[in-house]
């Protein structure tokens, strides 16, 4: 029996994701994030449906909610990355989680007592966006502290699985709660879910003190992170590639309620199923990149995934079958997470410790900071020309950009991991 257990343990140790989860700090962060993200996806399903209904099925107004949730990152991500490098991340993350819980609780009471309005949803999305400017680079940088450097390429996709596991069952549960109990309870559940991440951050033993203790002006810190990213040839190209995908490839998520309702005649449960299909695709993509994390294929994965996002959008724009639509959004979800997560890994492998918060903030800026441009732009296109036209245009632009990328980045190679001492 002991021999069997040892054999099983040895086999598990060879699985990259299992190896990352064998570290207690990473395991705590993983579980806390999973529970917190589950609440967020439960809320998003209810929130999008309510916002779309309150605006008489206006695609632009629906996109505006997503825009407000992302816009602060567009303006503040590089600045906030500098603050992450000079602040205690444990205290910072706990404070941010407390603030994050206030908005959903407010929406819950407003919905429960019948005075919820569209502008309430916009305001809460805007506050959430401001919180994200600090929370995202702070939480991502904790991953590097929770595992040894050699485990990082597997730990980053494993951590991203929390968001996407939650996206599988969170929206479906959100749709069920919306139908059976009402939107208020979806909001309340999200407010409570932040307690899980607060608990995890409190229990983590890793040193989360400031990584940059040098007394430098904030302006100099911001400029240093910005210039490092754009003067580094590979970082700058990776930034441009994921920025293009952010603008032209992920706006469909903000239009999901319109896709469900206007393109396929689906209700609340159908909307949840579409979101879940994206999550299933994303988990598949993450498992794929985690399982091959020890091979030098990361740059190639980024380019293949970018091409796949374009293909998914183009196919979704023309299909009339709801079942094929599920496949399309799953493909798009898989390829999007493969590109963004692998780029995250490359950013962390390249960046030295003293600049990591700021460099990661630049990555977050490309992913979430530029995405509002696409959300607002294609929300307007969908309102004026239709949802299918918006998907078609975004897919075509991204396909052209992907083709150019294949030609212009033939010299890019996977880097070695940068030690924290460097």
């Amino acid at each position: 029996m002991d021999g069997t257990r040892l054999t099983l343990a040895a086999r598990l140790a060879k699985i990259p994701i299992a190896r990352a989860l064998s570290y207690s700090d990473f395991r705590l962060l993983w579980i806390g994030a999973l529970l917190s993200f589950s609440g967020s996806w439960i809320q998003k399903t209810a929130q999008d449906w309510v916002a779309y209904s309150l605006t008489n099925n206006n695609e632009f107004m629906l996109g505006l909610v997503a825009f407000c949730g992302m816009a602060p990152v567009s303006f503040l991500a590089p600045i906030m990355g500098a603050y992450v490098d000079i602040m205690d991340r444990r205290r910072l993350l706990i404070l941010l989680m407390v603030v994050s819980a206030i908005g959903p609780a407010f929406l819950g009471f407003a919905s429960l007592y019948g005075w919820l309005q569209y502008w309430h949803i916009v305001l809460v999305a805007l506050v959430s966006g401001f919180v994200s400017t600090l929370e995202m680079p702070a939480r991502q940088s904790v991953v590097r502290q929770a595992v040894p450097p050699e485990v990082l390429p597997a730990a980053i996709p494993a951590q991203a699985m929390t968001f996407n596991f939650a996206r599988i069952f969170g929206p479906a549960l959100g749709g069920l709660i919306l139908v059976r109990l009402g939107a208020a309870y979806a909001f309340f559940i999200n407010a409570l879910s932040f307690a899980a991440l607060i608990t995890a951050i409190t229990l983590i033993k890793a040193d989360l003190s400031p990584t940059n203790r040098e007394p430098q002006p904030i302006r100099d810190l911001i400029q240093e992170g910005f210039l490092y990213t754009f003067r580094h040839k590979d970082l700058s190209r990776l930034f441009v590639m994921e920025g293009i995908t952010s603008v032209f490839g992920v706006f469909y998520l903000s239009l999901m309620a319109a896709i469900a309702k206007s393109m396929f005649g689906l209700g609340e449960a159908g909307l949840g199923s579409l979101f879940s299909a994206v999550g299933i695709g994303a988990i598949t993509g993450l498992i794929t990149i985690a399982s091959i994390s020890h091979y030098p294929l990361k740059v190639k994965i980024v380019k293949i995934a970018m091409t796949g996002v374009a293909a998914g959008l183009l196919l979704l724009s023309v299909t009339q079958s709801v079942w094929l639509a599920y496949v399309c959004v799953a493909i798009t979800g898989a390829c999007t997470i493969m590109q963004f997560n692998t780029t995250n890994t490359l950013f962390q492998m390249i960046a030295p410790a003293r600049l990591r918060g700021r460099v990661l903030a630049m990555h977050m800026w490309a992913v979430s900071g530029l995405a509002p441009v696409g959300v607002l732009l294609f929300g307007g296109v969908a309102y004026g020309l239709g949802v299918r036209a918006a998907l078609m245009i975004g897919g075509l632009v991204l396909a052209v950009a992907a083709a150019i990328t294949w030609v212009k980045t033939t010299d890019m190679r996977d880097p070695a991991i940068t030690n924290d001492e460097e």
Side-chain angles (χ1 to χ4, degrees):
M1 182 63 111
D2 289 340
T4 302
R5 288 177 180 175
L6 287 173
T7 302
L8 179 60
R11 289 178 179 177
L12 286 174
K14 294 180 179 180
I15 301 173
I17 294 174
R19 189 179 177 194
L21 287 169
S22 69
Y23 294 89
S24 59
D25 280 355
F26 182 77
R27 194 162 57 246
L28 281 168
L29 183 64
W30 196 92
I31 294 171
L34 175 64
L35 294 174
S36 180
F37 284 138
S38 297
S40 299
W41 277 106
I42 288 171
Q43 170 170 321
K44 179 170 175 55
T45 305
Q47 177 179 284
D48 284 3
W49 191 265
V50 171
Y52 197 48
S53 300
L54 287 174
T55 58
N56 296 317
N57 302 339
N58 188 312
E59 290 86 358
F60 179 78
M61 299 298 277
L62 176 63
L64 184 62
V65 175
F67 173 82
C68 289
M70 299 176 181
V73 183
S74 303
F75 302 102
L76 299 175
I79 299 173
M80 294 309 181
Y83 280 101
V84 168
D85 281 339
I86 63 173
M87 295 178 72
D88 184 295
R89 285 162 291 166
R90 193 185 313 274
R91 295 177 181 177
L92 175 63
L93 284 167
I94 291 172
L95 175 62
L96 293 174
M97 292 304 100
V98 172
V99 173
S100 295
I102 295 173
F106 168 78
L107 292 179
F109 283 112
S111 180
L112 187 64
Y113 292 104
W115 42 272
L116 178 63
Q117 298 181 43
Y118 171 76
W119 71 268
H120 294 153
I121 296 174
V122 171
L123 179 62
V124 170
L126 193 61
V127 172
S128 177
F130 277 107
V131 170
S132 296
T133 62
L134 279 168
E135 188 272 338
M136 287 192 293
R139 178 170 46 80
Q140 289 287 341
S141 66
V142 171
V143 176
R144 183 69 183 255
Q145 304 301 117
V147 297
E150 66 271 13
V151 182
L152 186 66
I156 291 176
Q159 178 62 17
M161 285 182 182
T162 59
F163 181 83
N164 291 285
F165 273 134
R167 181 155 54 180
I168 293 175
F169 61 82
L173 185 55
L176 183 62
I177 292 170
L178 186 59
V179 172
R180 299 289 181 85
L181 301 175
Y185 291 92
F187 296 136
F188 286 140
I189 289 172
N190 186 35
L192 291 172
S193 72
F194 291 103
L197 199 49
I198 291 174
T199 302
I201 293 298
T202 302
L203 295 175
I204 284 176
K205 297 177 183 178
D207 180 13
L208 302 183
S209 58
T211 57
N212 192 326
R213 297 179 175 85
E214 298 176 7
Q216 290 179 257
I218 287 295
R219 181 177 177 179
D220 291 349
L221 290 172
I222 295 168
Q223 185 178 34
E224 188 179 13
F226 188 89
L227 291 177
Y228 182 86
T229 301
F230 285 104
R231 286 176 176 172
H232 194 291
K233 186 177 180 181
D234 286 348
L235 281 180
S236 62
R237 290 192 286 189
L238 288 167
F239 178 92
V240 170
M241 289 160 67
E242 65 179 349
I244 292 172
T245 301
S246 294
V247 174
F248 298 100
V250 301
F251 66 89
Y252 77 99
L253 290 170
S254 67
L255 295 174
M256 198 66 90
I259 292 171
K261 197 170 185 179
S262 66
M263 284 178 58
F264 300 105
L266 300 174
E268 296 97 320
L271 172 61
S273 296
L274 278 173
F275 274 126
S276 294
V278 177
I280 291 171
I283 287 296
T284 303
L286 287 169
I287 291 173
T288 301
I289 60 175
S291 64
I292 58 175
S293 61
H294 53 293
Y295 293 110
L297 298 171
K298 294 174 183 60
V299 171
K300 187 171 292 186
I301 288 171
V302 169
K303 293 188 280 188
I304 292 172
M306 187 177 181
T307 307
V309 176
L313 287 178
L314 289 171
L315 187 57
L316 180 61
S317 72
V318 297
T319 185
Q320 302 294 325
S321 167
V322 66
W323 296 108
L324 188 54
Y326 289 136
V327 175
C328 292
V329 296
I331 291 172
T332 308
C335 293
T336 301
I337 198 66
M338 288 174 74
Q339 180 181 354
F340 290 167
N341 194 268
T342 304
T343 301
N344 184 333
T345 303
L346 289 169
F347 266 61
Q348 294 210 43
M349 290 172 71
I350 293 170
R354 66 184 184 83
L355 289 168
R356 190 164 300 125
R358 283 164 283 171
V359 172
L360 275 176
M362 295 300 294
H363 158 67
M364 299 299 176
W365 189 28
V367 174
S368 299
L370 299 180
V373 177
V375 167
L376 206 58
L377 172 64
F378 286 101
V381 172
Y383 182 69
L385 302 177
V387 181
R388 290 187 184 277
L391 295 170
M392 175 67 77
I393 293 170
L396 286 172
V397 173
L398 190 56
V400 172
I404 294 173
T405 294
W406 279 101
V407 174
K408 296 293 185 178
T409 60
T410 54
D411 61 325
M412 286 184 69
R413 298 290 183 271
D414 283 20
I417 293 180
T418 302
N419 292 325
D420 282 347
E421 290 75 15
E422 292 182 354

